[in-house]
């Protein structure tokens, strides 16, 4: 018996004639996620199989795949000969590991892709269920809400037997829907926004603005850690760390005090767009939500959008804070996000920020200073960090 990972996907089935492209994208994502483990990824009749993973590494491999966008679920299966006795023996071995002698309920599912196999799917279910009940007296059948799912898939070459499944994140394979640049702060919202857009098949890079010495090295390291967590789902990320102190101080010294926050956001967007264009990204991503802070009113977002021509994705736009926090906890970024290190968006905050800015007025205020050289210097002095999922 050989240990095999059986990978299911859901949304990709809807892609019609383009489905092979998305399947290939998912296979590539699976191979990258399992690197440097040995793995051979094979696609066959609506399933993806991962062969050559050592049995002792199967659980770790399944855990990695549970964070790959495009994966619906994973089962650690045993590959056996297309013989019912071999199938029953594999099912018993897996049930012994999953249930032992404890009392629990189960149901058998069977899928006969090879119609030459002499038993129909329903016959496999009935016969295998009976064998397991004889072997494990504490078991009982529950066809509505079983604790354990015993699966059998009879394919052209072999049969695959498994007990249980590990749920994946769903979505689309990263990279099949273009690339975008995430403006990542040290807060709760932006990593969640990046995760949500990556789930739709968009590859992401990230950009962070820091204001040393007003922000610390710990704040910088916190952002790198957040990008690493997001990369577990989104794949490799190039993180651009942009020095923003000169621009930020100039805004506060030369521009109207009530407009400083929105002006800072406009300059960040301009720089992010420049960097995005240079690395092939087609859109920007932010963690903004309507009304959460003064710079996120509809008027402020309109003024921010005016600074760039590139599309801006705001997946959290209609979320409240509690919903965002729950998502951050689910993907593992929350505990890092709440570490008490300042980012440049929280220093020099005006006492009375404008909440209903006008585009023309903010354009005029921005024109009080020629930021061209400062923008060039900030981009030139950017620190670039390459982040890979297998480094986590």
């Amino acid at each position: 018996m050989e240990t095999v990972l059986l990978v299911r996907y859901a949304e990709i089935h809807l892609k019609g004639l383009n489905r092979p492209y998305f399947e290939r994208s998912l296979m590539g994502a699976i191979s990258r996620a399992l690197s440097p483990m040995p793995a051979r990824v094979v696609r066959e009749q609506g399933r993806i199989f991962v062969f050559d993973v050592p049995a002792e590494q199967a659980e770790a491999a399944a855990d990695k795949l549970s964070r790959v966008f495009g994966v619906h679920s994973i089962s650690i299966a045993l590959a056996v000969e297309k013989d019912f006795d071999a199938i029953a023996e594999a099912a018993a071995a897996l049930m012994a590991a999953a249930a032992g002698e404890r009392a629990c309920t189960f149901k058998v599912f069977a899928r006969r892709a090879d119609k030459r196999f002499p038993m129909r799917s329903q016959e496999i279910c009935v016969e295998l269920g009976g064998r397991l009940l004889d072997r494990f007296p504490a078991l009982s059948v529950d066809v509505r809400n079983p604790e354990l799912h015993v699966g059998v898939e009879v394919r052209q070459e072999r049969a695959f037997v498994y007990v249980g499944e590990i749920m994946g994140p769903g979505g689309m394979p990263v990279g099949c829907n273009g690339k975008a640049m995430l403006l990542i702060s040290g807060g709760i919202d932006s990593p969640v926004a990046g995760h949500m857009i990556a789930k739709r098949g968009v590859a992401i890079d990230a950009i962070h603005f820091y204001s040393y010495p007003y922000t610390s090295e710990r704040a910088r390291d916190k952002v790198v850690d957040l990008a690493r967590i997001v990369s577990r789902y989104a794949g490799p990320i190039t993180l651009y760390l942009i020095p923003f102190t000169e621009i930020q101080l100039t805004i506060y010294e030369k521009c109207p005090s009530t407009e400083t926050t929105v002006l800072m956001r406009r300059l960040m967007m301009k720089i992010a767009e420049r960097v995005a264009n240079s690395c092939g990204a087609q859109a920007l991503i932010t963690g903004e939500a309507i009304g959460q802070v003064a710079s996120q009113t509809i008027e402020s977002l309109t003024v921010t959008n005016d600074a760039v021509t590139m599309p801006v994705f705001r997946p959290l736009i209609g979320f409240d804070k509690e919903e965002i926090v729950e998502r951050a906890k689910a993907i593992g970024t929350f505990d890092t996000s709440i570490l008490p290190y300042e980012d440049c968006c929280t220093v020099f905050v005006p006492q009375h920020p404008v909440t209903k800015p006008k585009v023309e007025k903010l354009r005029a205020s921005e024109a009080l200073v020629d930021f061209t050289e400062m923008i060039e210097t900030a981009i030139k002095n950017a620190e670039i960090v390459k982040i890979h999922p297998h480094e986590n």
Side-chain angles (χ1 to χ4, degrees), residues 361-382:
K361 179 67 169 64
L362 267 293
R363 286 178 179 175
S365 297
E366 187 179 305
L368 294 172
V369 179
D370 184 358
F371 289 98
T372 304
E373 187 173 341
M374 283 181 270
I375 290 174
E376 296 291 344
T377 300
I379 294 173
K380 180 181 178 181
N381 292 332

Side-chain angles (χ1 to χ4, degrees), residues 226-242:
L226 286 171
R228 284 201 177 102
I229 296 170
V230 174
S231 78
R232 296 173 187 170
Y233 303 87
I237 293 174
T238 299
L239 173 63
Y240 299 84
L241 300 165
I242 305 292

Side-chain angles (χ1 to χ4, degrees), residues 38 88 94 133:
L94 291 169
L133 288 170

Side-chain angles (χ1 to χ4, degrees), residues 171-300:
M172 300 296 296
V174 170
C176 68
N177 283 324
K179 184 178 182 181
M181 177 67 69
L182 170 67
L183 281 78
I184 186 168
S185 68
I188 297 170
D189 304 338
S190 54
V192 176
H195 175 274
M196 291 178 67
I197 294 298
K199 186 175 181 179
R200 299 311 307 152
V202 178
I204 63 172
D205 282 338
I207 187 167
H208 173 71
F209 298 87
Y210 67 91
S211 294
Y212 184 82
Y214 301 99
T215 57
S216 66
E217 280 294 313
R218 288 184 176 181
R220 177 256 186 212
D221 294 342
K222 171 183 171 180
V223 171
V224 173
D225 289 341
L226 286 171
R228 284 201 177 102
I229 296 170
V230 174
S231 78
R232 296 173 187 170
Y233 303 87
I237 293 174
T238 299
L239 173 63
Y240 299 84
L241 300 165
I242 305 292
F244 201 62
T245 309
E246 182 183 11
I247 293 173
Q248 195 167 20
L249 288 174
T250 302
I251 291 172
Y252 279 92
E253 290 171 1
K254 302 293 180 65
C255 301
S257 60
T258 59
E259 299 172 354
T260 52
T261 299
V262 180
L263 285 169
M264 180 179 68
R265 293 293 297 173
R266 283 178 61 89
L267 269 295
M268 286 180 174
M269 297 291 277
K270 287 177 182 287
I271 293 173
E273 184 177 50
R274 284 275 304 275
V275 176
N277 281 323
S278 71
C279 69
Q282 302 152 290
L284 303 177
I285 310 167
T286 78
E288 294 162 312
I290 290 177
Q292 193 171 121
V293 295
S295 63
Q296 295 178 22
T297 62
I298 289 179
E299 293 86 352
S300 294

